[in-house]
Amino acid sequence: MTASFPPPSIEPTDLPAQMRAQGDAVLAASGLAELTGCDLAALDALKPSWNDLPHDEYLKDGGRYRRRRHSCFVFENDELAQAPHRAHWQSLDYNALHGGMRRWFEPITPAVAADPAWTQLLSALARTCSQLRPASRWCIEAHQFRIDTSDGLGRPTPEGAHRDGVDFVAVVLVGREGIKGGETRVFEAGGPWGQRFTLAEPWSMLLLDDARMIHETTPIQPDVADAAMPGHRDTLVLTFRRDSFQGDD
C-alpha cells in the first residue's frame, strides 16, 4: 500500500506570511482561484492541450515517459508578453543530470499562450512574487509536463531533489489518472526540516522560494486497477526569475 498524505493547504490570505516564515506554501484549487482571480472552469478549458505534448528527447536515462512544451514570458509594467522562443538552460549546479546544455522544446501552442485564463494566471502569480520580493521585471519559464507510465515507471523529477536557479517556482497540478505515487517532497536547503504530501486536486498549487527550498516528486506507477492502460500526471511548472532568464548572464 502506498501512503498518501494530504497537502497542507492554507488560505490565500496567509500565503505571504507563510512564504516568508517557511519558504513554501500550498493552495487548494479554490485558493488558487481566489489568489489569481481565475475561474476554474476557464482553467479546465486548457486541459486538452496536455494531450498534445511532444516527447522530451533529452532524457539521459533513455526514458519515453515525459512529454513537454516550454515557452518564456516577461511580466513588466504590469503586463505579460511572450518572449521569443528560446532554449531551456540550467547550470550543472542546479541540474546535475540535464544541466549545462541548451534544450529546445516545442513551444506552448499559440491558442494556450493567448488564452485569457493563461494570461491571468501567470500575471497574478508574478504580482504575488513581487509582493514577496519586489521586482520590476519577472522572467517566466512555463513548462507543460505529462509524465506517464508507458515505461512502467514515470519520473517527474529524474534529476532528484533539486533547486531550479530562479527566485520562485510554482508547481500546479493539472490532473492525474490511473496512477499511484507522485508524492511531493519539500526540504529546507539549509536545515533539517521537510515535509511530504501528494497533490491530487486539479489546479492545486505548491509555491516555493527556490533559494530556500529543495523539492522533488517521487516516481509514478500504474494503478493496479488500471494497469492495462498507461496512467499519467499532468503539471504546469512556472519559474519566476528577476531581471533575466537563466543563460542570459
Side-chain angles (χ1 to χ4, degrees), residues 9-177:
S9 302
I10 63 171
E11 294 297 320
T13 51
D14 296 330
L15 184 141
Q18 170 100 349
M19 289 293 295
R20 293 186 180 104
Q22 186 169 295
D24 75 292
V26 178
L27 295 181
S30 59
L32 179 69
E34 181 179 337
L35 180 76
T36 62
C38 288
D39 182 78
L40 292 178
L43 290 174
D44 280 341
L46 299 174
K47 282 185 176 182
S49 65
W50 268 261
N51 295 325
D52 185 33
L53 304 183
H55 276 108
D56 183 337
E57 302 292 346
Y58 292 92
L59 288 172
K60 286 190 175 181
D61 63 5
R64 300 288 288 173
Y65 55 80
R66 182 158 77 179
R67 297 172 179 267
R68 71 193 295 179
R69 288 184 183 272
H70 165 258
S71 288
C72 295
F73 300 81
V74 173
F75 186 77
E76 191 172 21
N77 298 321
D78 205 43
E79 290 189 1
L80 184 75
Q82 187 165 4
H85 192 51
R86 57 184 292 131
H88 175 51
W89 186 89
Q90 293 173 294
S91 75
L92 286 166
D93 293 334
Y94 294 108
N95 191 329
L97 185 61
H98 296 116
M101 60 179 176
R102 297 190 178 276
R103 291 180 284 168
W104 288 93
F105 299 109
E106 289 297 314
I108 290 168
T109 63
V112 170
D115 191 285
W118 177 270
T119 300
Q120 177 67 18
L121 178 66
L122 270 62
S123 298
L125 290 177
R127 295 186 190 103
T128 298
C129 292
S130 289
Q131 292 174 8
L132 300 169
R133 192 166 296 153
S136 59
R137 172 184 168 90
W138 286 105
C139 294
I140 306 168
E141 294 197 50
H143 306 259
Q144 289 180 293
F145 285 108
R146 168 165 288 182
I147 309 299
D148 66 38
T149 59
S150 56
D151 286 352
L153 190 73
R155 297 177 175 86
T157 52
E159 65 272 40
H162 65 283
R163 291 164 52 210
D164 285 294
V166 297
D167 287 275
F168 298 100
V169 179
V171 181
V172 183
L173 182 77
V174 177
R176 46 184 290 151
E177 293 185 19

Side-chain angles (χ1 to χ4, degrees), residues 214-225:
I214 297 171
H215 65 282
E216 67 175 338
T217 303
T218 62
I220 62 171
Q221 303 173 52
D223 187 278
V224 174

Side-chain angles (χ1 to χ4, degrees), residues 221-235:
Q221 303 173 52
D223 187 278
V224 174
D226 300 312
M229 282 187 70
H232 64 262
R233 180 179 185 266
D234 293 347
T235 55

